[in-house]
């Protein structure tokens, strides 16, 4: 079978499709990952075959348009783009990406003779291109199904692109949805869903040298990460260094996980010289969290699910609507706490972290989600099931 995976050019969205794409390839299927040109190099770093479609879109500028406002935003907007057009900002962005990619993606699906298109939920070119090529589409979630409420709206939103590509009625959610979230973490949905164990891919990289080692009995280990997005939007929204400085101190070891590009944004980190903070660069998060007592982060889906798969509670400070959605599920399941940007003062961060580090209920809730995640079939185990459904649909 020939499986075409697609996402728009955002690294964390690419990372979410890598485990299933590799599972298909390891099972002997042909796999191709298609996105806008800006993602080609990052796709190549995953070891998967890559193709460029469409044109690059100013994703950073559009994402700035829906940063959650705070009381301390500067008068110039602090990196927040002005709103334009009608409807939700995020939907405007998803449409722009679909407009950029759909025509070329449909042509690629036909020319490459794809049997199916697998798309992450915001890559709406995926189901359109599949419909244009006359093949099934499979939706692969990267976290909580935040698009579920938009299902009825999407055909209308995408109608111009569907007409341009000769597509009549189509389901923007495709043949089925592959879901890496355990039941307790997912929002209620009413569409076909195939549960899959979450396997983290947090970017290329290997273990630390020297390794962290066990935290010891007298110190608590807190991992701080702020993902890939916020630093790209505006340096002042990258809070990792401030958070690490607030939490470091006697009895607490802070592991501050950043990319090499983010390192320059930190400046001098209080506690680093004393050994209370260790800054690590380009180390995949899943290699850092197993021995952690707490993860403090922004609320991105990959960070949240990677932490929960390790059974680690979370303290989250969401700054985008999707961060807020995932943070809400962490709060609802009892696996962590959530602060707004305005609430996240050094004093409040320390107080909430102490509560999470000493509260057994948070660890128990996180471990419950971990057990649910590990009980689900792996991506490798789902390949045959997805293949049979695609074949049955095409028959």
């Amino acid at each position: 079978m020939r499986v075409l995976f697609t996402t728009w050019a955002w690294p964390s969205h690419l990372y979410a499709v890598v485990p299933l794409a590799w599972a298909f390839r390891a099972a002997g299927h042909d796999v191709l990952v298609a996105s806008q040109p800006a993602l080609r190099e990052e796709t190549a770093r995953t070891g998967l075959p890559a193709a460029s479609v469409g044109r690059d879109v100013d994703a950073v500028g559009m994402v700035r348009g829906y940063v959650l406002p705070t009381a301390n935003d500067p008068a110039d907007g602090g990196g927040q783009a002005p709103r334009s057009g009608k409807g939700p900002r995020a939907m405007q962005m998803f449409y722009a990406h679909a407009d950029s990619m759909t025509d070329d993606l449909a042509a690629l699906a036909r020319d490459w003779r794809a049997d199916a298109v697998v798309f992450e939920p915001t890559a709406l070119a995926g189901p359109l291109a599949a419909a244009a090529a006359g093949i099934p589409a499979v939706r692969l979630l990267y976290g909580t199904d935040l698009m579920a409420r938009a299902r009825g709206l999407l055909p209308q939103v995408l109608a111009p692109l569907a007409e341009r590509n000769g597509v009549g009625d189509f389901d923007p959610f495709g043949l089925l949805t592959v879901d890496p979230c355990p039941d307790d973490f997912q929002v209620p949905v009413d569409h076909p869903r195939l549960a899959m164990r979450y396997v983290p891919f947090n970017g290329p990289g290997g273990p630390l040298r020297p390794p962290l080692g066990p935290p010891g009995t007298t110190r608590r280990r807190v991992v701080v990460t702020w993902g890939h997005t916020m630093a790209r939007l505006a340096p002042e929204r990258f809070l990792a260094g401030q958070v690490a400085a607030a939490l470091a101190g006697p009895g607490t070891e802070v592991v501050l996980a950043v990319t090499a590009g983010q390192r320059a944004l930190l400046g001098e980190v209080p506690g680093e010289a004393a050994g209370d903070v260790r800054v690590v660069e380009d180390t995949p998060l899943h290699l850092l969290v197993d021995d952690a007592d707490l993860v403090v982060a922004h609320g991105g889906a990959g960070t949240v699910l990677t932490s929960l798969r390790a059974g680690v509670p979370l303290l989250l400070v969401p700054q985008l609507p999707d961060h807020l959605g995932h943070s809400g599920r962490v709060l609802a399941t009892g696996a962590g706490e959530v602060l707004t940007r305005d609430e996240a003062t050094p004093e409040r961060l320390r107080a909430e972290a102490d509560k999470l580090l000493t509260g057994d209920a948070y660890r128990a809730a996180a471990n419950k989600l971990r057990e649910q995640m590990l009980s689900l079939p792996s991506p490798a185990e789902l390949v045959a099931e997805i293949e049979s459904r695609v074949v049955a649909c095409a028959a």
Side-chain angles (χ1 to χ4, degrees):
M1 193 163 74
R2 300 168 76 83
V3 188
L4 180 61
F5 286 77
T6 191
T7 175
W8 52 276
W10 208 252
S12 56
H13 291 210
L14 166 67
Y15 297 165
V17 309
V18 167
L20 186 59
W22 265 112
F24 269 96
R25 194 170 187 196
H29 299 288
D30 292 324
V31 167
L32 184 62
V33 180
S35 186
Q36 294 142 321
L39 200 65
R40 178 137 191 174
E41 184 176 340
E42 190 68 25
T43 304
R45 294 177 69 213
T46 71
L48 291 164
S52 294
V53 294
R55 64 188 182 280
D56 289 324
V57 171
D58 181 15
V60 170
M62 287 186 287
V63 172
R64 285 194 187 112
Y66 62 103
V67 172
L68 300 173
T70 74
N72 297 316
D73 282 342
D76 65 0
Q80 186 173 35
R83 181 166 184 161
S84 62
K86 297 180 180 179
R89 291 186 178 100
M91 196 60 67
Q92 294 174 40
M93 181 178 70
F94 301 153
Y95 182 89
H97 286 294
D99 183 36
S100 150
M101 295 173 61
T102 298
D103 299 5
D104 283 359
L105 188 64
L108 176 63
R110 288 188 290 262
D111 294 344
W112 191 62
R113 303 188 309 279
D115 296 298
V117 173
V118 178
F119 66 102
E120 53 91 355
T122 64
L124 300 175
L128 279 167
I135 58 177
V138 175
R139 194 171 71 122
L140 173 59
L141 298 182
Y142 53 73
T144 301
D145 197 347
L146 302 176
M147 296 287 285
R149 291 182 296 177
R151 187 180 190 185
L153 176 68
L154 288 177
Q156 178 184 350
V157 170
L158 299 173
L161 303 183
E163 182 179 359
R164 194 168 81 199
N165 283 273
V167 173
D169 291 338
F170 78 105
D171 189 339
F173 278 18
L175 172 66
L176 64 98
T177 292
V178 178
D179 188 352
C181 292
D183 287 342
D184 286 355
F185 192 78
Q186 188 54 274
V187 296
V189 296
D190 60 358
H191 47 77
R193 174 173 165 264
L194 192 61
M196 179 182 76
R197 184 186 313 161
Y198 176 74
V199 175
F201 180 84
N202 312 121
L208 282 178
R209 292 289 183 268
L212 288 174
T217 58
T218 60
R219 301 192 86 190
R220 309 170 300 182
R221 177 171 293 161
V222 177
V223 173
V224 175
T225 176
W226 232 251
H228 293 268
T229 296
M230 301 314 299
R232 298 178 68 187
L233 304 186
E236 62 269 23
R237 301 197 183 276
F238 182 68
L239 307 181
Q242 302 169 46
V243 170
L247 298 178
T252 301
E253 173 197 17
V254 175
V255 178
L256 176 52
V258 298
T259 67
Q262 293 168 353
R263 185 63 173 91
L265 299 177
L266 298 177
E268 184 178 346
V269 180
E272 186 176 9
D276 293 330
V277 177
R278 179 170 174 184
V279 179
V280 300
E281 298 178 18
D282 293 332
T283 300
L285 184 63
H286 71 274
L287 299 177
L288 300 174
V289 295
D290 280 346
D291 290 323
D293 298 294
L294 176 66
V295 171
V296 184
H298 57 304
T303 298
V304 168
L305 291 182
T306 298
S307 302
L308 293 177
R309 190 180 187 274
V312 181
L314 293 127
L315 174 57
L316 301 172
V317 185
Q319 294 173 272
L320 291 171
D322 60 312
H323 299 168
L324 192 63
H326 288 96
S327 298
R329 296 311 301 159
V330 168
L331 193 63
T333 56
E337 293 289 350
V338 179
L339 296 175
T340 68
R341 173 66 184 88
D342 293 325
E343 292 170 337
T345 62
E347 296 77 16
R348 187 71 184 277
L349 285 165
R350 285 192 291 269
E352 294 297 322
D354 284 341
K355 182 170 70 173
L356 286 156
L357 288 164
T358 57
D360 291 341
Y362 296 108
R363 174 67 74 164
N367 273 321
K368 180 182 178 183
L369 292 172
R370 166 183 162 82
E371 291 168 3
Q372 290 181 8
M373 294 168 89
L374 295 180
S375 71
L376 299 175
S378 69
E381 293 174 288
L382 283 190
V383 167
E385 173 66 18
I386 296 171
E387 180 184 8
S388 68
R389 296 199 188 195
V390 167
V391 170
C393 179

